[in-house]
Amino acid sequence: MMMMLTVYAAAGLVLGVVQLVHGECVVESQRCDFPFQVEEETYYGCMEGDETGDRYYCKTQIGEKYVTGVCNGGCFEKDGSPAMFNATMGDEVMALFCKTYPSPCMFPFIWQGREYRECTTDGDSPYPWCALEVDDQGNLVDKRWGKCDMSTCDPVSAMSEESEPQPKSLTVSFSEFSGSIELSQASPEDSLQFTGDLEGLPDGDLFLSVVDKPCGEPLDSFVDNIIKLQSLPSSEVKSESWSLSLYPGDQFAVGRSLIVKEKDTAMLNEEGALQLGEVVACTPIQEQSNALSLTLIIIIVVVAVVILLIIIIVCVCCCCCKRRKKKSPEKMVDSIDSIDDPIGNGDTKIPLYDELSIPFIDASLPPTPKMGRSRDQLAILLGGGSKTSLSNPDA
């Protein structure tokens, strides 16, 4: 029973951790407003989405703004086709059942250059809202947001100095050279700074550049050079860029590659294209994240649960062994019939305790009294009696 309770507790702990890490915040369901227009086209029912065709959308009004949401089951006919709701044909009542689905929020999302990891009231909104769809860069897709259902979402943090964009920085290094380069940026409005030192550079005109390609792929066009490197024992790097940023957006530098390349030439190669400088070294630009992944958290929890189970099993085994040791002497005494038979095979029946160990009490009557002695045997037995003669009974 204890083992089963431990297993159930461990399973509940794992599920609790998973739910805590992978919790879902959804938006409130809103009634679709028909008819609505998209690109000068009027819709009396839900419109088909562009991505896969298995989702249909409608417009709904939240306050003074209109947003786009996913249609729920009340917006379709029995055959699965979108239902049409025309006010002139008396479909107002049926349209009340057509609402947007409580879709999950997409975190993190970027809106107006700022990254959000929870519902927000930015934009002078009287209610918390979140993104329902983001693009490849994490930016909010137009009209694809909704009013947060605060019964499923974390409370909105109060606006303070801590919510302002914090300075960001990261460090990269090349395996071909010694030294490192630090990329730092005070705010999204400031330039991206490159500072550091590189040692062991080969001779020649070398330049430091950022390309939107992974390391190993050849260059197919000219790239902007950040700084020219000196072919000295140690080359100092100190430059800035206004076209790159450490904050999410179109100019996001993370995910790109920092390269050291030779100078481009205006000569044509054998294929008639401009001859680009050769890449000498390359390293990816990546953020240093200290956050634990969900898989690592689950592994830690499972290992902790296994250790707990082993400890419980060892404790149970120790308790059982102690109980057996306490019961074994009693069984041994019961099995022994006598002192001369320690094995307990029943060959002899000598009492375990001999007569010497029992106090002797003589309860036999004393001998017949002689003449002239008292015949009161009870008195004699009790140590009393008279020594007078029988011939003198009055004495």
Side-chain angles (χ1 to χ4, degrees):
M1 179 63 69
M2 183 181 296
M3 187 72 65
M4 293 298 297
L5 292 176
T6 305
V7 173
Y8 289 147
L13 180 61
V14 174
L15 293 177
V17 171
V18 173
Q19 184 177 5
L20 176 64
V21 176
H22 205 63
E24 190 173 56
C25 171
V26 300
V27 297
E28 294 182 357
S29 178
Q30 304 289 336
R31 187 172 66 87
C32 295
D33 291 330
F34 297 110
F36 61 87
Q37 288 187 344
V38 176
E39 297 179 355
E40 300 182 355
E41 184 176 354
T42 303
Y43 291 87
Y44 292 92
C46 297
M47 63 178 182
E48 187 175 357
D50 297 332
E51 62 279 359
T52 59
D54 58 348
R55 287 188 177 183
Y56 289 81
Y57 299 87
C58 70
K59 281 196 173 183
T60 180
Q61 185 175 2
I62 302 179
E64 298 180 353
K65 299 180 180 180
Y66 285 89
V67 298
T68 304
V70 180
C71 296
N72 67 357
C75 303
F76 299 92
E77 300 288 355
K78 293 182 179 180
D79 59 357
S81 60
M84 297 292 109
F85 303 98
N86 194 334
T88 59
M89 300 178 63
D91 295 334
E92 298 91 342
V93 177
M94 298 303 298
L96 296 176
F97 298 96
C98 181
K99 298 181 179 181
T100 59
Y101 184 79
S103 303
C105 295
M106 299 291 292
F107 296 119
F109 66 91
I110 301 171
W111 181 67
Q112 293 187 352
R114 177 175 293 181
E115 184 179 273
Y116 297 87
R117 296 184 178 273
E118 61 181 12
C119 297
T120 180
T121 56
D122 287 0
D124 298 329
S125 174
Y127 44 79
W129 61 274
C130 68
L132 297 179
E133 186 178 348
V134 296
D135 58 16
D136 296 337
Q137 302 296 328
N139 296 292
L140 170 66
V141 175
D142 187 33
K143 305 297 183 182
R144 289 291 290 125
W145 56 273
K147 181 180 179 182
C148 294
D149 184 355
M150 298 312 297
S151 63
T152 62
C153 305
D154 295 331
V156 179
S157 302
M159 294 299 294
S160 62
E161 294 182 358
E162 295 182 357
S163 63
E164 295 297 326
Q166 299 297 313
K168 291 190 175 184
S169 64
L170 58 87
T171 303
V172 297
S173 58
F174 295 94
S175 59
E176 295 84 355
F177 317 123
S178 59
S180 60
I181 299 176
E182 182 183 14
L183 284 67
S184 60
Q185 191 173 8
S187 69
E189 290 75 22
D190 296 322
S191 61
L192 178 59
Q193 302 290 325
F194 293 80
T195 56
D197 292 285
L198 293 178
E199 298 180 358
L201 297 175
D203 296 333
D205 294 334
L206 301 177
F207 296 86
L208 188 69
S209 304
V210 175
V211 295
D212 193 14
K213 286 179 175 293
C215 293
E217 291 191 7
L219 300 178
D220 53 7
S221 62
F222 286 103
V223 295
D224 295 333
N225 298 325
I226 297 176
I227 187 176
K228 181 179 180 180
L229 303 175
Q230 302 293 328
S231 298
L232 299 174
S234 178
S235 179
E236 181 182 5
V237 177
K238 188 174 182 181
S239 182
E240 65 178 1
S241 174
W242 289 94
S243 61
L244 298 171
S245 176
L246 292 180
Y247 295 88
D250 296 336
Q251 300 176 336
F252 199 31
V254 176
R256 304 187 185 188
S257 300
L258 185 65
I259 64 171
V260 175
K261 69 180 187 67
E262 297 177 349
K263 182 180 179 179
D264 298 324
T265 63
M267 300 177 58
L268 300 179
N269 56 19
E270 298 178 355
E271 299 177 355
L274 293 176
Q275 186 174 353
L276 304 178
E278 183 180 354
V279 177
V280 178
C282 179
T283 183
I285 302 176
Q286 299 176 347
E287 287 183 316
Q288 289 83 18
S289 176
N290 295 325
L292 294 177
S293 64
L294 175 61
T295 304
L296 182 58
I297 293 176
I298 294 177
I299 292 175
I300 294 175
V301 173
V302 171
V303 171
V305 170
V306 171
I307 294 175
L308 179 62
L309 289 175
I310 293 175
I311 294 175
I312 293 175
I313 293 173
V314 171
C315 293
V316 172
C317 293
C318 292
C319 293
C320 294
C321 292
K322 289 182 178 180
R323 290 182 180 179
R324 290 180 180 178
K325 289 181 179 179
K326 290 182 179 179
K327 292 181 179 180
S328 58
E330 299 177 1
K331 294 182 178 179
M332 183 178 297
V333 172
D334 295 337
S335 63
I336 297 176
D337 294 328
S338 66
I339 296 176
D340 296 335
D341 186 23
I343 302 177
N345 52 16
D347 294 338
T348 59
K349 298 296 181 180
I350 302 175
L352 185 61
Y353 299 99
D354 58 10
E355 292 81 2
L356 297 178
S357 62
I358 302 176
F360 177 77
I361 300 176
D362 188 6
S364 61
L365 295 176
T368 304
K370 296 179 180 181
M371 296 302 293
R373 300 278 183 178
S374 174
R375 293 178 179 272
D376 191 352
Q377 297 180 357
L378 180 60
I380 296 173
L381 180 62
L382 297 176
S386 175
K387 297 182 180 180
T388 58
S389 174
L390 295 174
S391 62
N392 189 15
D394 298 331

